[in-house]
């Protein structure tokens, strides 16, 4: 029992035990060094927070607050600031014009003039927005009023196509950037070239190795194909100028970085050659058409597949799109399809005679196309037949001059095209309309074939249809056309052979990209 009591016994004075432990800690050299370090650190903190540096601290705090205020600008505030700056620029321009016309202005008249200036600026902005959305056309080809005044002047004899870039093999496609400063072209040997419009300086895209392509998504050849073919048939560049898409016989859609010219991704999925490509304006949404009769939708930003559109009964040849989620395609099944992607519906337009070869948007409701019988057609979304047909738009140079000058136009598509004479069968491939283009949001169009001519057209109302303007001479097959957004020049991809075959050859032609300037009055 005594032993148990001894186990439960505790020190009578706890303070003595704590004092002994504290004295032991103070006597230990380790804890003494730690205390000196703490004291030293505290002393340094006191020196940092001395009164001599208080001014500099307050200045740095003010600068940090100012930076925070600058960073806190929201996207809406930034858009408003940029819009105000743009409006002020327009006002200054109009103000300068008025000052040149009338140097002295006082009182109420000045205020009225300022109100008129703001109204004019509002009209300018509204017109730009309508042109950008495709709901109104710029009168580049003609101006309708009391009389018709041509804005595109007739080229002089000394003016003609100037070759910017030469290719070893036939050129299959050309494309222009949104600002008209850079261009892209491809050929049947797989070459993709990036060139400057003003200087013509060209840089070639280099295909990566097979191992890199497989790492980027390239699949092995299937079916009858035994090896990959890098022959390129189509190009498309995004509106922001970041991405370039290419497609060809390897059945893949390839995505490139325009800034570094590096290969980014290979999209598999098509079971046939990729024949046409287009980016939706203002987005990274990419549409591809193929010989497998399908149209696929991709997202270049996320590098993902979205969906597939079915409806054509034969190969898809050409594709085009504007800002709305609508896609225009033509195929060898003698049909043109207008795809309304959000509604998951399509409108089918049937050609009156031969197969359609190419098409493009004029605006959201009007289209321009060319066919393999040498005709060009004007379409409207509300009619199943062409509203206007120009027969024999590209007759061969070997045919009579009277046939070239007397182009027969048919309005509203009431008449079917007549069968061509047997004497023309030998040069039928030369008169195929292989490419068409429209200057965006304008009434100026162009068509190309293999007969040595590129024709310019004025797009008028439905009753008048298409009116021929000028002929631009260019030897060879015009496989692709592209207008500058400003309408100041026309780019043509010309070759010795057609884009999709070798059934005809123009030995005297050059393989390359040619530019023709256009003068606007």
């Amino acid at each position: 029992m005594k032993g148990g009591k001894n186990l439960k016994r505790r020190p009578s004075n706890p303070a003595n035990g704590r004092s002994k432990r504290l004295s032991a800690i103070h006597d230990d050299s380790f804890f003494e060094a730690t205390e000196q370090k703490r004291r030293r650190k505290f002393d340094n903190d006191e020196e940092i927070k001395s009164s001599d540096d208080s001014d500099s601290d307050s200045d740095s705090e003010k600068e940090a607050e100012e930076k925070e205020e600058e960073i806190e600008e929201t996207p809406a505030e930034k858009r408003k600031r940029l819009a105000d700056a743009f409006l002020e620029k327009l006002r200054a321009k109009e103000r300068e014009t008025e000052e040149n016309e009338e140097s002295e202005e006082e009182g109420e008249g000045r205020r009225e003039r300022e109100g008129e200036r703001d109204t004019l600026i509002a009209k300018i902005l509204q017109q730009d927005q309508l042109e950008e959305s495709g709901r109104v056309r710029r009168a580049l080809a003609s101006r309708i009023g009391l009389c018709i005044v041509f804005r595109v002047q007739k080229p002089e004899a000394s003016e003609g196509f100037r070759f910017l870039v030469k290719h070893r093999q036939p050129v299959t496609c050309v494309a222009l950037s949104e600002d008209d400063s850079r261009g892209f072209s491809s050929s049947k040997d797989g070459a993709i070239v990036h060139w400057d419009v003003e200087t013509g300086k060209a840089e070639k895209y280099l295909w990566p190795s097979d191992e890199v392509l497989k790492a980027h998504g390239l699949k092995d050849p299937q079916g009858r194909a035994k090896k990959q073919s890098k022959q390129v048939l189509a190009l498309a560049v995004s509106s922001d100028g970041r991405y370039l898409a290419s497609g060809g016989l390897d059945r893949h859609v390839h995505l490139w970085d325009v800034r570094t010219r590096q290969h980014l991704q290979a999209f598999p999925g098509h079971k046939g050659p990729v024949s046409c490509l287009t980016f939706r304006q203002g987005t990274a949404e990419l549409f591809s058409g193929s010989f497998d009769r399908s149209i696929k939708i991709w997202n270049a930003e996320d590098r993902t597949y979205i969906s597939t559109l079915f409806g054509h009964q034969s190969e898809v040849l050409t594709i085009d799109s504007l800002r709305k989620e609508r896609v225009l395609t033509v195929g060898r099944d003698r049909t043109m399809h207008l795809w309304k992607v959000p509604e998951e519906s399509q409108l089918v337009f049937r050609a009156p005679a031969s197969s359609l070869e190419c098409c493009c948007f004029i605006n959201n409701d009007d289209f321009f196309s060319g066919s393999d019988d040498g005709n060009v057609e004007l379409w409207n979304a509300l009619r199943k037949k062409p509203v206007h047909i120009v027969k024999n738009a590209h007759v061969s140079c070997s045919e009579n001059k009277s046939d070239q000058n007397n182009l027969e136009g048919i309005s509203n598509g009431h008449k079917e095209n007549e069968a061509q004479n047997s004497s023309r069968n030998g040069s039928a491939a030369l008169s195929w309309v292989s490419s068409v283009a429209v200057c965006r949001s304008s009434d100026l169009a162009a068509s190309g074939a293999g007969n040595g001519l590129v024709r310019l057209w004025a797009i008028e109302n439905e009753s008048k249809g298409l009116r021929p303007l000028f002929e631009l001479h260019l030897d060879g097959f015009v496989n692709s056309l592209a207008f500058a957004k400003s309408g100041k020049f026309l780019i043509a991809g010309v070759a010795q052979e057609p884009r999709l075959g070798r059934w005809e050859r123009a030995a005297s032609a050059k393989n390359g990209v040619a530019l023709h300037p256009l003068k606007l009055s």
Side-chain angles (χ1 to χ4, degrees), residues 127-139:
Q127 182 74 10
D128 292 343
Q129 195 274 334
L130 291 174
E131 289 178 359
E132 187 67 24
S133 62
R135 286 181 285 179
V136 76
R137 297 202 299 260
R138 292 176 290 165

Side-chain angles (χ1 to χ4, degrees), residues 42-252:
F42 181 75
D43 294 339
N44 291 336
D45 291 343
E46 285 184 349
E47 291 178 0
I48 291 171
K49 295 180 180 180
S50 61
S51 59
D52 296 337
D53 297 336
S54 60
D55 296 336
S56 61
D57 291 342
S58 61
D59 294 339
S60 61
E61 289 176 359
K62 289 180 180 178
E63 292 177 358
E65 290 177 358
E66 291 176 356
K67 289 181 179 179
E68 288 179 0
E69 290 178 357
E70 292 177 358
I71 295 172
E72 287 177 356
E73 185 183 26
T74 63
E77 292 173 348
K78 183 178 180 180
R79 288 195 295 269
K80 184 178 182 301
R81 176 171 56 82
L82 294 175
D84 291 340
F86 181 68
L87 287 173
E88 185 59 33
K89 184 178 179 181
L90 289 177
R91 288 193 184 101
K93 187 176 180 180
E94 293 296 328
R95 195 181 300 117
E96 183 180 355
T97 303
E98 292 172 3
E99 288 176 356
N100 293 335
E101 293 176 354
E102 296 182 6
S103 59
E104 296 182 357
E105 208 174 61
E106 294 181 359
E108 191 172 340
R110 181 184 295 274
R111 287 192 295 271
E112 290 179 359
R113 184 58 62 88
E114 289 178 356
E116 292 176 359
R117 185 190 306 126
D118 291 341
T119 304
L120 179 60
I121 291 172
K123 289 182 179 179
I124 292 173
L125 294 175
Q126 185 179 11
Q127 182 74 10
D128 292 343
Q129 195 274 334
L130 291 174
E131 289 178 359
E132 187 67 24
S133 62
R135 286 181 285 179
V136 76
R137 297 202 299 260
R138 292 176 290 165
L140 293 184
S142 62
R143 183 180 297 162
I144 300 176
L146 296 177
C147 61
I148 296 175
V149 181
F150 291 104
R151 293 197 63 191
V152 178
Q153 298 180 1
K154 186 175 182 179
E156 298 178 0
S158 59
E159 295 179 345
F161 277 98
R162 173 174 59 91
F163 274 84
L164 290 176
V165 181
K166 294 182 179 180
H167 283 261
R168 293 183 178 179
Q169 294 294 325
V171 174
T172 56
C173 186
V174 294
L176 281 174
S177 62
E178 189 74 11
D179 58 358
D180 299 335
S181 63
R182 296 170 296 174
F184 308 86
S185 57
S186 61
S187 58
K188 289 187 177 181
D189 58 358
I192 301 175
V193 180
H194 174 177
W195 33 269
D196 186 86
V197 172
E198 292 186 0
T199 63
K201 183 180 179 181
E203 297 176 350
K204 190 175 181 180
Y205 283 63
L206 298 178
W207 287 90
S209 62
D210 293 340
E211 291 76 12
V212 175
L213 287 174
K214 289 182 179 180
H216 288 177
L218 189 74
K219 303 296 182 182
D220 292 329
Q222 298 177 354
R224 298 179 181 177
K226 296 182 180 180
K227 62 179 181 179
Q228 297 285 1
S229 174
K230 292 187 174 64
Q231 180 174 334
V232 180
L233 297 178
L235 290 177
V237 60
S238 60
S239 299
D240 58 4
R242 294 177 56 191
Y243 300 109
L244 176 71
S246 66
L249 296 186
D250 66 351
R251 307 177 183 183
H252 287 71

Side-chain angles (χ1 to χ4, degrees), residues 291-330:
F291 280 11
D292 63 3
R293 302 174 293 177
S294 69
I295 293 95
K296 293 187 180 294
I297 309 175
W298 318 84
N299 189 302
E301 189 72 32
D302 300 333
R303 303 177 193 176
T304 55
Y305 161 79
I306 298 178
S307 62
T308 303
L309 307 176
F310 296 99
H312 277 287
Q313 303 301 315
S314 187
E315 295 95 336
V316 181
L317 300 179
T318 311
I319 192 169
D320 192 25
S321 65
L322 291 177
R323 189 169 294 273
K324 293 182 68 174
E325 286 190 83
R326 292 186 176 187
V327 188
L328 188 68
T329 58
V330 297

Side-chain angles (χ1 to χ4, degrees), residues 14-27:
N16 293 334
R18 285 196 300 272
S19 61
K20 288 180 181 180
R21 286 195 298 271
L22 290 172
S23 62
I25 289 173
H26 287 303
D27 293 339

